Coordinates of all heavy atoms in Angstrom, one line a residue:
T208 N 20.8 10.6 16.7 CA 22.1 10.2 16.1 C 22.9 11.5 16.0 O 22.4 12.6 16.2 CB 21.9 9.6 14.7 OG1 21.3 10.6 13.8 CG2 21.0 8.4 14.8
E209 N 24.2 11.4 15.6 CA 25.0 12.5 15.3 C 24.4 13.4 14.2 O 24.4 14.6 14.2 CB 26.5 12.1 15.0 CG 27.3 11.7 16.2 CD 27.2 12.8 17.3 OE1 27.5 14.0 17.0 OE2 26.9 12.5 18.5
K210 N 23.9 12.7 13.2 CA 23.2 13.4 12.1 C 22.0 14.1 12.6 O 21.7 15.2 12.2 CB 22.8 12.4 11.0 CG 22.1 13.0 9.8 CD 22.9 14.0 9.0 CE 24.1 13.3 8.3 NZ 24.8 14.3 7.5
G211 N 21.3 13.5 13.5 CA 20.1 14.1 14.1 C 20.5 15.4 14.8 O 19.8 16.4 14.7
R212 N 21.6 15.3 15.6 CA 22.0 16.5 16.3 C 22.4 17.7 15.3 O 22.0 18.8 15.5 CB 23.2 16.2 17.2 CG 22.9 15.4 18.4 CD 24.1 14.9 19.1 NE 23.8 14.2 20.4 CZ 23.7 14.8 21.6 NH1 23.9 16.1 21.7 NH2 23.4 14.1 22.6
E213 N 23.0 17.3 14.2 CA 23.4 18.3 13.2 C 22.1 18.9 12.6 O 22.1 20.1 12.4 CB 24.2 17.6 12.1 CG 25.6 17.2 12.5 CD 26.3 16.3 11.5 OE1 25.8 16.3 10.3 OE2 27.3 15.7 11.8
F214 N 21.1 18.1 12.4 CA 19.9 18.5 11.8 C 19.2 19.5 12.7 O 18.7 20.5 12.3 CB 19.0 17.4 11.5 CG 19.0 17.0 10.0 CD1 20.1 16.6 9.4 CD2 17.8 17.0 9.3 CE1 20.1 16.3 8.1 CE2 17.8 16.6 8.0 CZ 19.0 16.3 7.4
V215 N 19.2 19.2 14.0 CA 18.5 20.1 15.0 C 19.2 21.4 15.0 O 18.6 22.5 15.1 CB 18.5 19.4 16.4 CG1 18.1 20.4 17.5 CG2 17.6 18.2 16.4
Y216 N 20.6 21.5 15.0 CA 21.3 22.7 14.9 C 20.8 23.5 13.7 O 20.6 24.7 13.8 CB 22.8 22.5 14.8 CG 23.4 21.8 16.0 CD1 24.5 20.9 15.8 CD2 23.0 22.1 17.3 CE1 25.1 20.2 16.9 CE2 23.6 21.4 18.4 CZ 24.6 20.5 18.2 OH 25.2 19.8 19.2
L217 N 20.8 22.9 12.6 CA 20.4 23.6 11.3 C 18.9 24.0 11.4 O 18.6 25.1 10.9 CB 20.7 22.7 10.1 CG 20.4 23.3 8.8 CD1 21.1 24.6 8.6 CD2 20.8 22.3 7.7
M218 N 18.1 23.2 12.0 CA 16.7 23.6 12.1 C 16.5 24.8 12.9 O 15.8 25.8 12.5 CB 15.9 22.4 12.8 CG 15.6 21.2 11.9 SD 15.0 19.8 12.8 CE 13.3 20.3 13.1
E219 N 17.2 25.0 14.0 CA 17.1 26.2 14.8 C 17.6 27.4 14.0 O 17.1 28.5 14.1 CB 17.9 26.0 16.1 CG 17.2 25.3 17.2 CD 17.7 25.6 18.5 OE1 18.9 25.8 18.7 OE2 16.9 25.6 19.5
E220 N 18.7 27.2 13.2 CA 19.3 28.3 12.4 C 18.3 28.7 11.4 O 18.2 29.9 11.1 CB 20.6 27.8 11.8 CG 21.3 28.8 11.1 CD 22.6 28.3 10.5 OE1 23.3 27.5 11.1 OE2 23.0 28.7 9.3
L221 N 17.6 27.8 10.7 CA 16.7 28.1 9.7 C 15.4 28.7 10.2 O 14.8 29.6 9.5 CB 16.3 26.8 8.9 CG 17.4 26.3 8.0 CD1 17.0 24.9 7.5 CD2 17.7 27.2 6.8
G222 N 14.9 28.3 11.4 CA 13.6 28.7 11.9 C 12.6 27.6 11.7 O 11.4 27.9 11.5
I223 N 13.0 26.3 11.9 CA 12.1 25.2 11.9 C 12.1 24.6 13.3 O 13.1 24.4 13.9 CB 12.6 24.1 10.9 CG1 12.6 24.6 9.5 CG2 11.7 22.9 11.0 CD1 13.2 23.6 8.5
I224 N 10.9 24.4 13.9 CA 10.8 24.0 15.2 C 11.0 22.5 15.3 O 10.2 21.7 14.7 CB 9.4 24.4 15.8 CG1 9.2 25.9 15.7 CG2 9.2 23.9 17.2 CD1 7.7 26.3 15.9
P225 N 11.9 22.0 16.1 CA 12.0 20.5 16.4 C 10.8 20.0 17.2 O 10.4 20.7 18.2 CB 13.3 20.4 17.1 CG 14.0 21.7 17.0 CD 13.0 22.7 16.8
D226 N 10.3 18.9 16.8 CA 9.1 18.3 17.4 C 9.5 16.9 18.0 O 9.9 16.1 17.2 CB 8.0 18.2 16.4 CG 6.7 17.6 17.0 OD1 6.6 17.3 18.2 OD2 5.8 17.4 16.2
V227 N 9.4 16.8 19.3 CA 9.8 15.5 19.9 C 8.7 14.5 20.2 O 8.9 13.4 20.7 CB 10.5 15.8 21.3 CG1 11.8 16.6 21.1 CG2 9.6 16.5 22.3
S228 N 7.5 14.8 19.7 CA 6.5 13.7 19.7 C 7.0 12.6 18.9 O 7.5 12.8 17.8 CB 5.1 14.3 19.2 OG 4.5 15.1 20.1
H229 N 6.8 11.4 19.4 CA 7.3 10.1 18.8 C 8.7 9.8 19.1 O 9.2 8.7 19.1 CB 7.1 10.0 17.3 CG 5.7 9.9 16.8 ND1 5.0 8.7 16.9 CD2 4.8 10.9 16.4 CE1 3.8 8.9 16.4 NE2 3.6 10.2 16.1
L230 N 9.5 10.8 19.4 CA 11.0 10.6 19.7 C 11.1 9.8 21.0 O 10.3 9.9 21.9 CB 11.7 11.9 19.8 CG 13.2 11.9 19.8 CD1 13.8 11.3 18.5 CD2 13.7 13.4 20.0
S231 N 12.2 9.1 21.1 CA 12.5 8.3 22.3 C 12.8 9.2 23.5 O 13.1 10.4 23.4 CB 13.7 7.4 22.1 OG 14.9 8.2 22.0
D232 N 12.7 8.6 24.7 CA 13.0 9.3 25.9 C 14.5 9.8 25.8 O 14.8 11.0 26.2 CB 12.9 8.4 27.2 CG 11.5 8.3 27.7 OD1 10.5 8.5 26.8 OD2 11.3 8.0 28.8
A233 N 15.4 9.0 25.4 CA 16.8 9.4 25.3 C 16.9 10.5 24.3 O 17.7 11.5 24.5 CB 17.7 8.2 24.8
G234 N 16.1 10.5 23.2 CA 16.1 11.6 22.2 C 15.6 12.9 22.8 O 16.1 14.0 22.4
F235 N 14.6 12.8 23.7 CA 14.1 14.1 24.3 C 15.3 14.8 25.1 O 15.5 16.0 24.9 CB 13.0 13.7 25.3 CG 12.5 14.9 26.0 CD1 11.4 15.6 25.5 CD2 13.1 15.3 27.2 CE1 10.9 16.8 26.2 CE2 12.6 16.4 27.9 CZ 11.5 17.1 27.4
Y236 N 16.0 14.0 25.8 CA 17.1 14.6 26.6 C 18.3 15.0 25.7 O 18.9 16.0 26.0 CB 17.6 13.6 27.7 CG 16.5 13.5 28.8 CD1 15.7 12.3 28.8 CD2 16.2 14.5 29.7 CE1 14.7 12.2 29.8 CE2 15.2 14.4 30.6 CZ 14.5 13.2 30.7 OH 13.4 13.1 31.6
D237 N 18.5 14.3 24.6 CA 19.5 14.8 23.6 C 19.0 16.2 23.1 O 19.9 17.0 22.8 CB 19.6 13.8 22.5 CG 20.3 12.5 22.9 OD1 21.0 12.5 24.0 OD2 20.2 11.5 22.2
M238 N 17.7 16.3 22.8 CA 17.2 17.5 22.3 C 17.5 18.7 23.2 O 17.8 19.8 22.8 CB 15.7 17.4 22.0 CG 15.1 18.6 21.3 SD 15.6 18.8 19.6 CE 14.6 17.4 18.9
L239 N 17.3 18.5 24.5 CA 17.6 19.5 25.5 C 19.1 19.9 25.4 O 19.4 21.1 25.6 CB 17.3 19.0 26.9 CG 15.9 18.9 27.4 CD1 15.8 18.2 28.7 CD2 15.3 20.3 27.5
E240 N 20.0 19.0 25.1 CA 21.4 19.3 25.1 C 21.8 20.1 23.9 O 22.7 20.9 23.9 CB 22.2 18.0 25.1 CG 22.3 17.3 26.4 CD 23.1 16.0 26.4 OE1 23.8 15.8 25.3 OE2 23.1 15.3 27.3
C241 N 21.1 19.8 22.7 CA 21.6 20.4 21.5 C 20.7 21.5 21.0 O 20.8 21.9 19.8 CB 21.8 19.4 20.4 SG 20.4 18.4 19.9
T242 N 19.8 22.1 21.8 CA 19.0 23.2 21.4 C 19.2 24.4 22.4 O 19.6 24.2 23.5 CB 17.5 22.9 21.4 OG1 17.1 22.3 22.6 CG2 17.1 21.9 20.3

Side-chain angles (χ1 to χ4, degrees):
T208 63
E209 284 306 309
K210 178 62 70 176
R212 288 173 177 267
E213 291 171 14
F214 260 58
V215 169
Y216 297 143
L217 183 53
M218 287 170 70
E219 280 201 327
E220 185 179 323
L221 289 170
I223 299 175
I224 302 165
D226 180 4
V227 296
S228 285
H229 291 280
L230 191 62
S231 68
D232 279 24
F235 177 93
Y236 291 104
D237 289 343
M238 186 70 72
L239 284 170
E240 287 182 8
C241 63
T242 53

